Amino acid sequence: DALQNAGVMALLRPLLLDNVASIQQSAALALGRLANYSEDLAEAVVTHEILPQLVYSLGQQNRFYKKAAAFVLRAVAKHSPHLAQAVVDSGALDALVTCLEGFDPSVSEAAAWALGYIARHSKELA
């Protein structure tokens, strides 16, 4: 709660666009861990419009960032059908399917987990 009150989402969001790849990856991992921790923090990821930025970056970044971004999408989607729908609405499905077709097995695995967490909520999401 203290991190959310301190505006951690607003602080992490610009780091996703940093020039240094390791900073981008670390910011994505931090967002994923926060979103994984509680539904409120996952909702904050959605309300701060971080998902479209992650989805766009899935097609542009290195494998380490892709794995971290897929983790954020999974962490958000796991909490509720509403949040899973927010992930879908951000355009994540196409980007995750593209990651499934990639060469790196860790990225493919992270994408598969994210898709699984989206699909588990309802037939419509599946």
Side-chain angles (χ1 to χ4, degrees):
D1 229 18
L3 286 173
Q4 192 170 0
N5 291 340
V8 70
M9 297 300 169
L11 295 172
L12 286 172
R13 186 171 190 249
L15 295 177
L16 293 172
L17 299 173
D18 198 272
N19 291 334
V20 180
S22 62
I23 291 175
Q24 294 173 356
Q25 179 191 351
S26 295
L29 280 172
L31 286 166
R33 289 180 179 146
L34 290 167
N36 198 43
Y37 178 73
S38 78
E39 187 169 348
D40 289 341
L41 289 169
E43 185 72 47
V45 170
V46 173
T47 57
H48 281 85
E49 298 180 9
I50 292 170
L51 295 180
Q53 194 170 330
L54 288 168
V55 170
Y56 173 76
S57 297
L58 271 174
Q60 311 295 319
Q61 296 292 341
N62 65 38
R63 63 190 173 116
F64 303 109
Y65 183 88
K66 288 180 181 184
K67 185 177 174 184
F71 171 61
V72 177
L73 296 171
R74 178 188 96 190
V76 170
K78 83 172 200 173
H79 292 287
S80 71
H82 162 72
L83 289 171
Q85 186 63 54
V87 171
V88 171
D89 293 344
S90 72
L93 292 184
D94 288 339
L96 289 169
V97 169
T98 300
C99 287
L100 284 176
E101 299 165 351
F103 294 106
D104 189 290
S106 66
V107 173
S108 297
E109 180 184 6
W113 275 106
L115 290 167
Y117 272 88
I118 292 167
R120 75 181 190 152
H121 290 291
S122 68
K123 287 190 296 186
E124 292 77 23
L125 287 169

